[in-house]
Every structure is written in C-alpha cells, then in structure tokens.
Amino acid sequence: VLKILSKMGISLLSTYQGAQIFEALGIGGELLDLSFKGTPSRVGGFTTEDLGKELFTFIERAYPKPPEEAPKKLVDEGFVKASNSREHHSNSPA
C-alpha cells in the first residue's frame, strides 16, 4: 500500500489521513458508513448482512459442531498459493 501511495505522490501515510481520494467498489453504503465514512461508491455491493453470512460460513467450516466431523485435510480456499520457484523462508512448505 505504501508503494502505491508513493506513486500517487503521498510520501507519508500521516499526510493522507482523511483525504478520501479513493472510491469503493463492491461495498454497500451501510458497510461504508460503518467502516469508511465519507468514501464514495457508485455501484454499491457487499452489505453488513452479507459480511455476517460469509464470516459465519468460514467459522462453521473451521469449527464444525461435532469435532469428529471435521475434515482430515484443510480446504484450499485459494487465498494463498505456494511456489517452489520463489525465495525460501522458514515457514515455506517443504
């Protein structure tokens, strides 16, 4: 984020505070007013109800009611993908 801000001519994050130079895409008005007051959004989208449903879905999959029904292998949500051709770190997969 800091690199993007730098390209926009913002050298210090503290100088950006409250500038409201972005438009939100895919976030509904109710959620914008709750989290990003004053940020414009012409298209609307994700509501607080949608956010709650998605959060509950993630929690249900992470902690099933009877723990015996938990899957033996974690579901790949596709958020993170390991690559063997990149720099090795201590937390890299084998």
Side-chain angles (χ1 to χ4, degrees), residues 2-81:
L2 292 176
K3 190 173 185 178
I4 294 168
L5 291 173
S6 168
K7 288 181 180 184
M8 294 168 54
I10 300 168
S11 58
L12 297 172
L13 189 57
S14 59
T15 61
Y16 163 72
Q17 284 183 328
Q20 298 295 328
I21 59 174
F22 299 102
E23 180 177 350
L25 298 174
I27 302 177
E30 180 186 348
L31 195 53
L32 277 174
D33 290 339
L34 181 66
S35 306
F36 308 102
K37 200 168 246 3
T39 303
S41 175
R42 288 182 260 173
V43 294
F46 212 63
T47 65
T48 50
E49 187 176 321
D50 295 334
L51 181 63
K53 286 178 186 176
E54 188 166 323
L55 179 65
F56 186 70
T57 304
F58 277 113
I59 291 171
E60 251 184 353
R61 280 189 277 173
Y63 305 103
K65 291 294 180 196
E68 299 81 35
E69 291 181 16
K72 299 296 179 209
K73 186 177 177 187
L74 293 175
V75 178
D76 180 12
E77 299 290 345
F79 297 130
V80 178
K81 184 177 179 188

